[in-house]
């Protein structure tokens, strides 16, 4: 009999935690998992899933307008009911919470509801109950930050956004990353007057430069006002309620009035109060757990995956990290985590999809590169007279002909890029792209028909 209560105790029931617990349980390990909130973590409850459902909702606005060019007449003005959307979204999320519970039950994982703290290298305490474990996995995720500015308590974060009681008439969104452009697009599509304020001059600055530039043009065409090289200096309002009109003072001297001020200014790992430092675990300045290639912290029996290690804050990455941990602890241990060629999509309107190196990175790492670029009106936007244009770009190593980066702004960019990510993983060359037959008529076929480099 083992000297421990569990082989693995996972703290956090989000993407990474549930994945590790499930697969460890299925491999025959005795697994405990602590979760203080709803199962599914950020992705299921206040991230990917509700965001994408709301993005679908926001797209209808344009679909109704597009329909006329295709011969449809809508009798009466379509109207939007925020509370119906939120209630339906909440019902779907409750369903997903149940599925997560069933997955854990099916893998014989013991679920402990409550906030867990780490007492030492092999002991966890959940609401006063102590458990010992051979391995402890910290998968506690992160939370959105608010910048330290006067009146920041009057603003909300993405966590609050999903539970607003009503659709705001006017919103100011601060930030230029994933969450800022996604939530600004959703609000704009649903009918809110949106101003996006960003302290630099290019959205999505960690991606290929052309993506942020094209996206900004398209967002502006849809009616979002973009204010670059500025930030929020202070917010004032008579009270903090959702309905109160806030005066938003910008650093460029402008003042905006809005019911909603949304901070999309980054996320911080959830390690506060977990007792990790006391147990000897080294944390970064922002609270992230420092781990090695095997996801072990400075205390080898305490591991960590997902947003809490602050490497790449994406659900599929947390899942992959969890699988590496389970394979090592309870399997053959052959898996290693690679952070190259991670495809990602931003569900702004239009969507952004990207995999591989940006042009800038490719020039730095590979020297001479060829750039193929196209910008066109997709077929669907002809009859509708929708002015949205699609952008695509390939970055190719001139020496080896390997495709290093595939980038897109346009409808369903995430769906398109997923397949090209496989090609990049296989080391596909531009010649192989060229010899691939296109699917006609699609937008994606442009990726295999671009022949003349622009740079
Ligand atoms: P990001 O790091 O992507 O963006 C944060 C933005 O806020 C940046 O533009 C940053 O500016 C700006 N900012 C930071 N601090 C301040 C400040 N004090 N004042 C003004 N602006 C500030 O974070 P997000 O919150 O958008 O998202 C967090 C992570 O979650 C993402 O990086 C991604 O990994 C993940 N995510 C993934 C999604 C998806 O897969 N579709 C969707 C949503 C989130 P600057 O550029 O100057 O640093």
């Amino acid at each position: 009999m083992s000297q421990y209560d569990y082989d693995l105790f996972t703290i956090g029931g989000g993407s990474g935690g549930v994945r590790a617990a499930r697969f460890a349980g299925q491999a025959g390990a005795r697994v405990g998992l602590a979760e203080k909130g709803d199962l599914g973590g950020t992705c299921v409850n206040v991230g990917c899933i509700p965001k994408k459902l709301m993005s679908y909702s926001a797209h209808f606005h344009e679909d109704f307008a597009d329909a006329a060019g295709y011969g449809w007449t809508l009798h009466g003005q379509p109207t939007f009911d925020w509370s119906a959307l939120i209630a339906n979204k909440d019902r779907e999320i409750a369903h997903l919470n149940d599925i997560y519970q069933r997955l854990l039950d099916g893998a014989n994982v013991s679920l402990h509801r409550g906030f867990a703290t780490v007492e030492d290298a092999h002991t966890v305490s959940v609401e006063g109950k102590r458990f010992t474990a051979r391995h402890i996995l910290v998968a506690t995720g992160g939370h959105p930050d608010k910048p330290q500015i006067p009146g920041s308590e009057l603003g909300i974060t993405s966590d609050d956004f999903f539970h607003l009681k009503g659709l705001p008439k006017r919103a100011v969104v601060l930030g230029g990353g994933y969450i800022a452009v996604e939530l600004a697009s959703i609000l704009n599509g649903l009918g809110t007057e949106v101003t996006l304020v960003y302290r630099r001059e290019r959205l999505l600055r960690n991606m290929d430069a052309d993506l942020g530039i094209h996206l900004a043009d398209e967002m502006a065409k849809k009616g979002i006002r973009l204010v670059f090289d500025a930030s929020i200096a202070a917010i004032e309002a008579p009270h903090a309620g959702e309905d109160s009109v806030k005066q938003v003072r910008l650093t460029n001297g402008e003042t905006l009035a809005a019911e909603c001020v949304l901070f999309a200014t980054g996320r911080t790992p959830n390690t506060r109060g977990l007792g990790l430092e006391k147990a000897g675990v080294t944390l970064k300045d922002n609270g992230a757990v420092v781990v090695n290639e095997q996801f072990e912290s400075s205390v080898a029996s305490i591991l960590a995956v997902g947003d809490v290690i602050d490497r790449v804050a994406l659900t599929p990455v947390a899942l992959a990290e969890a699988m590496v941990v389970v394979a090592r602890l309870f399997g053959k241990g052959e898996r290693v985590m690679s952070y190259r060629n991670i495809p990602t999509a931003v569900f702004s309107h239009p969507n952004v999809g990207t995999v591989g190196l940006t042009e800038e990175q490719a020039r730095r790492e590979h020297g001479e590169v060829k750039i193929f670029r196209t910008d066109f009106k997709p077929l669907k936007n002809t009859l509708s007279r929708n002015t949205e244009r699609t952008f695509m770009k390939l970055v190719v190593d001139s020496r080896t002909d390997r495709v290093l980066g595939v980038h897109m702004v346009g409808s369903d960019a995430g769906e398109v890029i997923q397949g090209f990510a496989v090609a990049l993983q296989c080391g596909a060359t531009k010649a192989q792209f060229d010899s691939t037959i296109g699917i006609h008529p699609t937008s994606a076929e442009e990726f295999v028909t671009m022949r003349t480099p622009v740079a």
Side-chain angles (χ1 to χ4, degrees), residues 51 147 176-179 182 198-200 205 231 264-266 313-314 345:
K51 175 274 307 290
Y178 278 78
I179 297 181
E182 289 183 343
Y198 179 42
R199 62 187 179 185
R200 300 177 198 250
R205 75 177 167 93
S231 194
T265 48
L314 298 173

